[in-house]
Amino acid sequence: MPNNTITKNDIKELPLKHFEGVINVIENPLQADAIAEKLQKEKIIGFDTETKPSFKKGVSNNISLLQLSTEEEAFLFRLNITGFNGELTRLLSNPKIKKIGVGIRDDLRGLQRLKKFTPKGFVDIQELAPKYGIEVLSLKSLAGLLLGIRISKRQRLSNWEADALSEGQKLYAATDAWAALKIYNKIKNMKPVTQ
């Protein structure tokens, strides 16, 4: 198998894996501030967001969930309950902390709709991967190619504004942010292809 791409069939053969650390669901604005402040001590965190799907043309919902993850702990901020401001916007504007995600332009645009802030320290793996000769850009393909694991996307279109998140939703959300971090750490140890 070439080491710069992977097929859907190859991915199907890989072991299904998900985040196995501690998952924290944050629904209290004060707790959101305290955790965002705690995350200011990290050098690098995985990043993703989820939005309740809209099945109506021209209707889009606001981001419901912000996921930030270290290797051991994932934090799921329910922005539809806590709001988005204060320490969280400070954290996402801190250039000293790398926030790693896959295809994050829409995520950042969606967060800006909730509150204007200046995103700093973001690394989009979709922009980084080609510099290393990697031809796949989706999180699922990157995880398959670089981590040798298959991640489930089954919960992607679920209701992220439900009264309580299901175990499946929590695992899915935590895994996406954690996997981005793991992929980045793997790419960092590779040699860029010479242009």
Side-chain angles (χ1 to χ4, degrees):
M1 182 165 75
N3 61 358
N4 59 354
T5 189
I6 190 167
T7 67
K8 282 193 168 110
N9 284 338
D10 290 335
I11 293 171
K12 279 186 193 142
E13 301 302 314
L14 295 171
L16 188 63
K17 194 105 160 76
H18 57 75
F19 179 69
E20 292 173 357
V22 178
I23 300 175
N24 305 279
V25 178
I26 297 107
E27 297 181 339
N28 173 322
L30 294 176
Q31 187 190 16
D33 274 353
I35 288 171
E37 207 170 325
K38 178 178 133 177
L39 284 169
Q40 293 275 11
K41 295 179 182 75
E42 298 293 330
K43 288 184 172 53
I44 178 169
I45 48 182
F47 162 86
D48 195 24
T49 68
E50 300 302 335
T51 302
K52 178 183 174 183
S54 164
F55 300 104
K56 289 195 181 104
K57 196 168 166 52
V59 174
S60 64
N61 292 311
N62 283 331
I63 288 176
S64 319
L65 195 70
L66 166 67
Q67 302 105 273
L68 300 173
S69 178
T70 65
E71 295 263 355
E72 300 82 32
E73 210 169 353
F75 302 91
L76 313 182
F77 295 90
R78 300 203 66 194
L79 300 184
N80 58 311
I81 298 172
T82 66
F84 175 64
N85 49 34
E87 289 301 323
L88 268 179
T89 52
R90 238 189 313 283
L91 175 66
L92 298 186
S93 303
N94 185 337
K96 294 190 180 102
I97 303 165
K98 281 189 176 147
K99 278 104 24 208
I100 314 298
V102 175
I104 59 177
R105 201 176 65 221
D106 288 344
D107 298 297
L108 292 177
R109 197 180 293 135
L111 289 171
Q112 297 269 1
R113 271 175 49 189
L114 297 177
K115 180 168 177 62
K116 287 275 178 244
F117 71 105
T118 307
K120 291 204 174 116
F122 281 87
V123 177
D124 190 337
I125 292 172
Q126 288 187 343
E127 291 170 15
L128 189 66
K131 295 175 182 160
Y132 291 82
I134 297 165
E135 294 177 9
V136 295
L137 295 178
S138 75
L139 182 68
K140 189 170 186 161
S141 297
L142 286 160
L145 180 68
L146 297 172
L147 305 178
I149 62 171
R150 179 166 53 97
I151 56 176
S152 169
K153 299 305 270 175
R154 194 175 295 151
Q155 296 289 333
R156 192 167 66 92
L157 295 177
S158 60
N159 179 6
W160 295 101
E161 292 181 14
D163 289 345
L165 295 179
S166 70
E167 286 309 306
Q169 284 179 307
K170 290 179 203 172
L171 271 181
Y172 169 87
T175 298
D176 272 11
W178 164 81
L181 182 59
K182 297 290 278 183
I183 289 163
Y184 176 77
N185 286 336
K186 185 85 174 191
I187 289 177
K188 264 194 341 203
N189 295 319
M190 295 165 62
K191 280 194 169 65
V193 292
T194 49
Q195 294 297 337

